[in-house]
Amino acid sequence: MIKAVVFDLDDTLISEREYIKSGFNAVCRKISSDYNLDYKSINKLINDLFSEDHKKVFNRLLDLLNIEYNLFYIKELVNLYRNHLPDITLYEDARHILNYLSIKGYKLGIITDGYAVAQRQKLRALNIENIFDCIIVTDELGREYWKPHEKSYKIMKEKLNVEFNEMIYVGDNINKDFVTANKLGIITIMINKSDRIYNIKFYNSDISYKSLYEIKNLRDLKKFI
């Protein structure tokens, strides 16, 4: 009998693309202010650069703008990106299923990787902490405890006071979300949304990394509870 449903955050409950866009907006406002440049032009440029390649976007942007910079300025932009209060919302199907599960009395949790300050700012912007019985930001445990480490799943089990086989874990990243949960006996479900920011490929052809089930809309979780 399922008693708890635990979710990943990025590209599961929220759009990572929406978050990145919000972060880029904050960074572009700073650069346009610092160097008296047109914000809209910079914003279009940074998004085009990101579409081409996700790596070192700030460096490449400043290079194209012929702005001299040092490591300190890059760190300043990165910190702004991570610390800004993002303009994000829950996916529509996420809002629906969370409301449904809450009404039905299921225990709810989140396990999310990522820099702690950024993940906490996302949660603050969404104002959803009161919906969940337990939220684990793995970076607060230590970088070595990011998924697929088992620690967060074990903490979640204890906090929710359920057995592993009474939990569903919903995530999107086949490289890390399911392999440990599978080993622990948690029911794993992959949400495969078309707007995911990262094109995640199958991990080393190892079937243990695959989720037990796959859905394209979080409303379909109703089939498993």
Side-chain angles (χ1 to χ4, degrees):
M1 179 180 177
I2 300 301
K3 296 182 179 179
V5 184
V6 181
F7 296 88
D8 175 50
L9 181 60
D10 301 316
D11 279 337
T12 298
L13 295 179
I14 65 168
S15 167
E16 182 72 359
R17 188 180 299 277
E18 189 177 58
Y19 172 74
I20 291 169
K21 179 181 177 181
S22 176
F24 283 172
N25 288 346
V27 168
C28 290
R29 282 193 291 268
K30 175 173 175 55
I31 294 174
S32 65
S33 175
D34 288 347
Y35 294 95
N36 194 28
L37 297 172
D38 180 64
Y39 164 78
K40 290 184 178 179
S41 299
I42 297 173
N43 193 267
K44 181 180 184 307
L45 184 57
I46 196 171
N47 281 282
D48 288 345
L49 289 171
F50 184 76
S51 296
E52 295 170 4
D53 188 348
H54 297 170
K55 297 177 182 178
K56 294 188 175 181
V57 178
F58 299 159
N59 302 65
R60 290 159 52 217
L61 174 65
L62 296 173
D63 288 338
L64 281 178
L65 294 172
N66 293 315
I67 294 173
E68 291 187 11
Y69 62 90
N70 52 29
L71 182 60
F72 175 81
Y73 192 63
I74 294 296
K75 287 182 176 180
E76 194 175 355
L77 296 180
V78 170
N79 287 334
L80 173 62
Y81 179 91
R82 292 176 182 163
N83 284 277
H84 88 288
L85 186 65
D87 181 14
I88 55 174
T89 58
L90 288 171
Y91 282 123
E92 184 277 330
D93 59 335
R95 189 176 300 280
H96 171 86
I97 199 64
L98 290 174
N99 183 61
Y100 175 86
L101 293 170
S102 295
I103 290 173
K104 292 293 184 179
Y106 290 94
K107 297 178 180 180
L108 299 176
I110 290 177
I111 299 175
T112 178
D113 288 344
Y115 292 98
V117 63
Q119 299 310 99
R120 286 296 175 186
Q121 285 293 78
K122 292 174 188 177
L123 293 167
R124 179 184 169 201
L126 294 167
N127 192 27
I128 58 173
E129 287 100 326
N130 64 319
I131 298 175
F132 293 89
D133 300 282
C134 179
I135 296 175
I136 299 174
V137 177
T138 57
D139 197 45
E140 294 173 348
L141 304 175
R143 189 64 50 86
E144 68 271 26
Y145 296 117
W146 285 29
K147 293 176 286 185
H149 197 281
E150 65 182 17
K151 185 170 184 174
S152 59
Y153 301 96
K154 289 186 173 181
I155 293 173
M156 184 62 68
K157 172 183 177 293
E158 296 303 315
K159 293 288 187 180
L160 298 185
N161 192 28
V162 297
E163 300 300 323
F164 284 128
N165 62 6
E166 296 173 329
M167 290 170 55
I168 287 175
Y169 184 74
V170 186
D172 72 292
N173 191 332
I174 198 170
N175 287 345
K176 63 178 182 176
D177 276 334
F178 311 118
V179 59
T180 300
N182 286 336
K183 291 176 182 177
L184 293 172
I186 300 169
I187 297 169
T188 54
I189 300 177
M190 180 177 180
I191 176 68
N192 190 1
K193 288 183 174 291
S194 59
D195 69 337
R196 287 188 301 167
I197 198 70
Y198 298 110
N199 182 20
I200 300 169
K201 297 182 179 180
F202 195 67
Y203 190 97
N204 292 335
S205 299
D206 187 342
I207 196 169
S208 67
Y209 280 78
K210 290 192 68 176
S211 61
L212 293 175
Y213 305 100
E214 182 175 325
I215 58 176
K216 294 186 180 297
N217 190 297
L218 290 173
R219 292 171 183 261
D220 292 336
L221 284 177
K222 296 175 185 178
K223 300 174 184 178
F224 302 94
I225 56 178

